Amino acid sequence: MCKFEVGLPVRSLQGEILLEEAQAAAADMANRAAFRVLSEAHPGDMLAELCGRFKVTYELLLQERFKGSRIGECRSLGIETVPFGVVLERSDDPPKD
C-alpha cells in the first residue's frame, strides 16, 4: 500500500485557492503522476520503489501549479485514509455467496 498525505496551500500570491479547484487539480495530477510512473515501470519493480517514484513525481506536478504543496508521510490526526483501487466490505453489506 502506498500511503501519503497531500498538503495544498489555501492562498497564493494571486489570492485564495478555491477548494474545488484544488481538489480537481490534485486528482488530475495524481492521475498524471501515476500514469507517468506506471508507464515507465518494468516487470519486477517493487511496489515500494514505484510508490516512492509516484510521490516524487506527484509533488513536482503539484508544486508547478501550487507553490508550497507537499507530499509526505501520513501525520495529520483525524484524517481518514482513502484507499484507491481496493474494494472494502462494510459491515452493513449483505454477505457474498
Side-chain angles (χ1 to χ4, degrees):
M1 189 177 300
C2 187
K3 290 185 176 184
F4 58 93
E5 186 172 290
V6 178
L8 293 172
V10 294
R11 284 186 193 80
S12 71
L13 294 175
Q14 290 74 35
E16 189 173 331
I17 298 171
L18 299 175
L19 177 61
E20 295 80 12
E21 176 190 2
Q23 288 172 331
D28 177 59
M29 290 176 213
N31 288 336
R32 290 174 35 203
F35 179 81
R36 187 177 298 175
V37 169
L38 294 176
S39 67
E40 296 171 358
H42 302 289
D45 282 352
M46 301 291 288
L47 179 57
E49 183 182 336
L50 294 172
C51 179
R53 282 191 249 158
F54 168 78
K55 290 192 274 189
V56 168
T57 304
Y58 188 24
E59 187 169 51
L60 289 171
L61 290 171
L62 279 175
Q63 287 182 359
E64 286 177 13
R65 177 76 185 272
F66 303 110
K67 300 293 182 211
S69 299
R70 64 175 179 75
I71 302 294
E73 299 300 318
C74 297
R75 295 183 205 171
S76 298
L77 299 176
I79 295 179
E80 182 180 343
T81 301
V82 180
F84 290 90
V86 178
V87 178
L88 302 175
E89 285 190 42
R90 299 184 330 208
S91 60
D92 59 340
D93 287 342
K96 294 182 180 176
D97 296 327

